[in-house]
Amino acid sequence: MKSSRRQFLACSSVLPFLGLLPPGYRSPEDFYETMEETTAQYRDRKQVFNMCGYSAPAIPHLRVGYIGLGNRGYASIQRLGRMNAVEIRAICDVYDYPIQRAKDFLKSKGCPEPAVYTGSNEAWKGMCERDDLDLIYVLTPTFYHAEMAVHVLTSGKHAAVEVSAAQRVDDCWRLVDASERTRKHCVLLENCVYDFFESMAINMAHQGVFGEIIHAEGAYINPERPLFEEPKPPRSKQSAPWYGSVLAMAPGNRIPTHGTAPICQALKIGRGDRLDYLTSMETDDFIRAKTANDLAASGSVYHQQFKNKRHAGNVNTTMIRTVKGKTLLVEFDAVNPRPYSRIFQLSGSKGFAQKYPLPPRIYPDGERLAGAAEMKAFEDQYTPELVRLIEKTAKRFGGHGGMDFTVDWRLVDNLRNGRPMDVDVYDAALWSSITPLTLWSVMNRSSPIDIPDFTCGAWSTNPPLSLTLQGGGNTVIREVPG
């Protein structure tokens, strides 16, 4: 962050973004001051305890609580509610419908009735104070993730947090500090790292099949349809669609983890290399403001809140360089009518892989496309042990093709057996920090900005990622959907 605050605020590109900052910032000046102060505060920070590769004490019988019972929370309860040696002891939401839905499901599966926390926006804190919970899921709107996760950790529980874990760089640091000081895991529920092709390609990259990975590309291209969807009962007026519309008013890559996480793992970020700096560029808005105004003009009371407002650009593109000279390109687009894609491209000195557009493709020598027989041979040789064990079950459970099941099962199995996490607090902080960093760059005419080293130097010696089942793999599913 090389420009001064005065230069930043004087820059003409800042003016269009007045009022477009995410919740938590009073003004562009407040945003810049917070970023500047955070950089100074943590510049010389020393690691308290290294959570990468850390095996917390095993918890054979896992006692779980849930904060937030929307669609993600309910789907997770449906998965954990079928796992042996897992008990969902407490649930929390501010609305009656999702609480009753969760209770009905657990009752139908013969599970004990959970304690309920509701009645106020602070009810979740009471759950955190219980002394009979080992793990708490945070599945609320993203604005609240960091505060809740820090509270969970400091109350002595492991935290599982929906993406993104934080919206501010200082909150990313708070997550790291809380996890290190309590020696409790803060696991980001990033499902895309468990995509079956991507996990195989990551393993291939680590085994050197593609040579040295020099460049990688990822994305989250998933057009929101309909734009500005009005939540209908039994959902509240401030449920997921509303939060999505509010978040879409802030520039930057608002959903960075789906595109960033898998390629970071392939490049061994945090475990042999680290992200150094980024620069981000964004288009203007050609779609959202017009859509909001048209909906408001139709007489919709709900859509008046989005009328005549400036909205963030439709496409955000970010370039990242690592300290070892590799590059990453990450794209975000939730507006334009185009096919779904996470790209997931690995370009190595010997070979190449890319998932989107489907079908996935591997070029073993960079030029020759692997045929069906060769792809099957790659799958037989390089599919991680974790995926071999649970792929069929995961696909039957569903949840983004089985990725969601894999996230939950792996988390539970690792905690029950005292194994290290595949995605640790440093990953959660790093991947989430892309949002405020890209916001800063976009507001500063795509100027480069340094990316914090949340490992405080430990990245150079941290252990490699391992998707084996050594010491675990024994979490049983009582019932698998037909």
Side-chain angles (χ1 to χ4, degrees):
M1 192 183 304
K2 302 210 170 28
S3 63
S4 70
R5 180 180 63 190
R6 181 175 297 177
Q7 290 172 325
F8 174 80
L9 296 172
C11 176
S12 62
S13 67
V14 173
L15 299 179
F17 299 119
L18 290 169
L20 297 190
L21 292 166
Y25 297 110
R26 297 183 299 273
S27 65
E29 183 173 21
D30 179 42
F31 169 69
Y32 190 87
E33 286 180 345
T34 300
M35 293 283 283
E36 200 172 46
E37 291 167 1
T38 300
T39 300
Q41 179 181 354
Y42 292 98
R43 180 178 289 114
D44 299 319
R45 181 185 184 273
K46 305 298 183 184
Q47 191 175 67
V48 176
F49 180 82
N50 194 353
M51 294 299 294
C52 182
Y54 171 61
S55 297
I59 312 171
H61 182 85
L62 193 64
R63 303 165 299 178
V64 184
Y66 277 84
I67 306 174
L69 302 172
N71 289 340
R72 292 295 175 90
Y74 181 57
S76 181
I77 282 178
Q78 290 178 297
R79 293 186 287 269
L80 266 68
R82 292 182 167 102
M83 295 183 189
N84 274 345
V86 176
E87 182 183 352
I88 299 172
R89 288 201 171 186
I91 57 177
C92 176
D93 202 283
V94 294
Y95 300 106
D96 294 335
Y97 166 72
I99 290 174
Q100 191 59 52
R101 180 174 63 170
K103 289 174 63 177
D104 289 346
F105 171 79
L106 292 171
K107 182 178 180 180
S108 73
K109 300 305 172 187
C111 301
E113 182 171 344
V116 172
Y117 291 80
T118 188
S120 78
N121 290 335
E122 302 294 313
W124 59 274
K125 293 182 179 178
M127 176 193 291
C128 292
E129 299 312 311
R130 293 176 66 107
D131 61 4
D132 63 344
L133 294 177
D134 307 301
L135 168 68
I136 294 180
Y137 274 73
V138 177
L139 302 169
T140 56
T142 187
F143 306 156
Y144 308 122
H145 288 177
E147 176 192 0
M148 290 179 170
V150 168
H151 201 91
V152 168
L153 294 167
T154 54
S155 68
K157 287 86 173 169
H158 299 292
V161 190
E162 183 55 83
V163 301
S164 293
Q167 294 288 301
R168 300 164 55 117
V169 176
D170 53 349
D171 281 340
C172 292
W173 278 113
R174 290 187 185 102
L175 289 170
V176 170
D177 192 65
S179 181
E180 290 183 354
R181 292 185 184 281
T182 61
R183 301 193 183 187
K184 295 296 180 181
H185 289 296
C186 179
V187 178
L188 186 72
L189 297 170
E190 176 46 64
N191 55 4
C192 295
V193 298
Y194 295 110
D195 173 273
F196 304 124
F197 176 80
E198 289 171 55
S199 61
M200 179 187 75
I202 290 169
N203 189 33
M204 293 175 72
H206 291 180
Q207 298 299 320
V209 176
F210 307 120
E212 189 81 16
I213 303 299
I214 299 168
H215 175 79
E217 298 185 14
Y220 186 61
I221 299 170
N222 188 15
E224 174 192 343
R225 292 292 182 270
L227 290 174
F228 299 102
E229 176 187 2
E230 179 178 0
K232 300 293 185 181
R235 294 188 295 181
S236 76
K237 291 293 186 183
Q238 292 189 340
S239 59
W242 179 82
Y243 280 103
S245 297
V246 172
L247 280 175
M249 300 178 75
N253 187 331
R254 298 181 296 280
I255 307 178
T257 66
H258 295 328
T260 305
I263 59 176
C264 277
Q265 286 195 343
L267 285 164
K268 302 180 182 179
I269 300 301
R271 300 170 183 260
D273 197 358
R274 74 171 179 86
L275 304 185
D276 190 6
Y277 63 91
L278 66 76
T279 180
S280 187
M281 184 174 291
E282 189 161 296
T283 70
D284 285 344
D285 169 42
F286 297 89
I287 297 175
R288 295 190 65 88
K290 182 181 184 304
T291 302
N293 291 341
D294 289 347
L295 289 168
S298 71
S300 168
V301 175
Y302 171 81
H303 290 101
Q304 298 303 314
Q305 62 187 310
F306 304 112
K307 180 182 178 181
N308 297 330
K309 300 286 181 66
R310 285 193 60 95
H311 297 263
N314 301 147
V315 180
N316 176 276
T317 304
T318 300
M319 286 295 302
I320 306 172
R321 183 178 171 88
T322 78
V323 295
K324 291 194 172 182
K326 317 294 182 65
T327 55
L328 300 79
L329 184 149
V330 182
E331 186 176 345
F332 172 68
D333 181 358
V335 181
N336 291 322
R338 56 195 292 197
Y340 175 90
S341 175
R342 297 196 304 274
I343 299 178
F344 185 72
Q345 178 191 111
L346 304 179
S347 182
S349 59
K350 295 181 180 178
F352 177 91
Q354 183 165 323
K355 180 168 183 180
Y356 296 94
L358 297 172
R361 300 174 299 287
I362 291 176
Y363 294 78
D365 61 2
E367 297 180 2
R368 178 181 55 82
L369 176 63
E374 193 171 10
M375 286 291 286
K376 178 64 167 59
F378 285 140
E379 292 171 6
D380 291 342
Q381 183 173 357
Y382 294 108
T383 294
E385 187 180 3
L386 165 66
V387 175
R388 293 183 194 279
L389 176 69
I390 63 172
E391 181 176 3
K392 290 182 180 179
T393 301
K395 287 181 176 178
R396 290 176 66 184
F397 263 97
H400 295 96
M403 297 188 298
D404 296 355
F405 170 82
T406 308
V407 169
D408 283 333
W409 185 91
R410 181 65 162 180
L411 169 62
V412 167
D413 193 68
N414 283 345
L415 288 175
R416 289 188 57 250
N417 291 285
R419 299 186 74 257
M421 298 295 117
D422 304 331
V423 175
D424 56 43
V425 68
Y426 309 113
D427 298 320
L430 177 65
W431 302 340
S432 300
S433 73
I434 300 300
T435 292
L437 295 172
T438 55
L439 169 61
W440 187 96
S441 182
V442 168
M443 291 176 66
N444 209 21
R445 289 183 59 84
S446 302
S447 294
I449 182 170
D450 291 343
I451 300 173
D453 173 17
F454 294 102
T455 74
C456 298
W459 60 270
S460 61
T461 56
N462 278 340
L465 175 68
S466 174
L467 295 183
T468 69
L469 296 171
Q470 184 178 0
N474 56 9
T475 298
V476 178
I477 307 301
R478 292 194 302 269
E479 172 195 359
V480 179

